[in-house]
Amino acid sequence: MKKISKSLLTLCLVLVAMAGLTSCGDEYYDYSPLQGGWELVEIDGVPVAEPYVSEFTFYSDGTGVYGQYNPYPQWTTFRITWETEIAPGGAEYLYIYPAGGGVWSYMIRLYPTFMELTDLDTGQRLIYNAI
C-alpha cells in the first residue's frame, strides 16, 4: 500500500508540474510567412513612385502597422489587426481591420520574397516586397 501511495503521489506531482509549464497567457498565432515588413513596389504591373509607397508590418498576435505618405512627404502610420482565411478550394484571403474602422479584403499569394494581394473591392493587383 505504501508503494502505491508513493507512486500515486509521484504521479500527482508530475501532473502538477506539467500543468505549471503550460501557458495561459495572451493568444498568439502560429508562425505565418506573412509576419514581418512588406513594402508596396508595384500596382497592376506598374512600379510604384515614392509618394504612393505603403508598408505593412504584421505581428504574430494578429496586430500590425500600416504606413503611407499622407499628405506627401508626411509619413503616417496607424494600427491594424489582421487575419487570414483559407477557403475550401485552397484560395487564401487576408482581412485587414484599420484602427479607424472598416475592412480591407484581399486574395493573397505568398512567395519567398514578395506577396501578391488582389484587392477584392477594386481588383487591383498589388505587389509587396519583404523588407
Side-chain angles (χ1 to χ4, degrees), residues 64-80:
V65 177
Y66 176 77
Q68 66 180 15
Y69 289 109
N70 189 20
Y72 188 75
Q74 178 72 34
W75 184 255
T76 305
T77 62
F78 55 90
R79 298 286 216 181
I80 60 171

Side-chain angles (χ1 to χ4, degrees), residues 84-95 106-108 120:
T84 59
E85 174 186 40
I86 299 176
E92 189 169 1
Y93 296 93
L94 170 64
Y95 301 103
Y106 302 97
M107 185 168 63
I108 183 172
L120 297 179

Side-chain angles (χ1 to χ4, degrees), residues 22-129:
T22 62
S23 173
C24 297
D26 294 337
E27 289 185 32
Y28 66 92
Y29 287 57
D30 290 334
Y31 172 76
S32 166
L34 187 60
Q35 294 173 31
W38 301 91
E39 179 180 59
L40 181 65
V41 294
E42 186 179 299
I43 299 174
D44 291 331
V46 178
V48 175
E50 187 68 20
Y52 303 105
V53 168
S54 65
E55 292 180 0
F56 285 111
T57 302
F58 298 107
Y59 302 120
S60 64
D61 64 355
T63 65
V65 177
Y66 176 77
Q68 66 180 15
Y69 289 109
N70 189 20
Y72 188 75
Q74 178 72 34
W75 184 255
T76 305
T77 62
F78 55 90
R79 298 286 216 181
I80 60 171
T81 57
W82 62 276
E83 65 182 344
T84 59
E85 174 186 40
I86 299 176
E92 189 169 1
Y93 296 93
L94 170 64
Y95 301 103
I96 297 174
Y97 306 96
V103 59
W104 301 341
S105 303
Y106 302 97
M107 185 168 63
I108 183 172
R109 291 178 190 88
L110 287 172
Y111 300 93
T113 59
F114 70 96
M115 73 172 167
E116 178 183 333
L117 300 179
T118 302
D119 188 311
L120 297 179
D121 293 325
T122 67
Q124 284 186 310
R125 187 174 148 265
L126 310 168
I127 302 296
Y128 283 81
N129 279 347

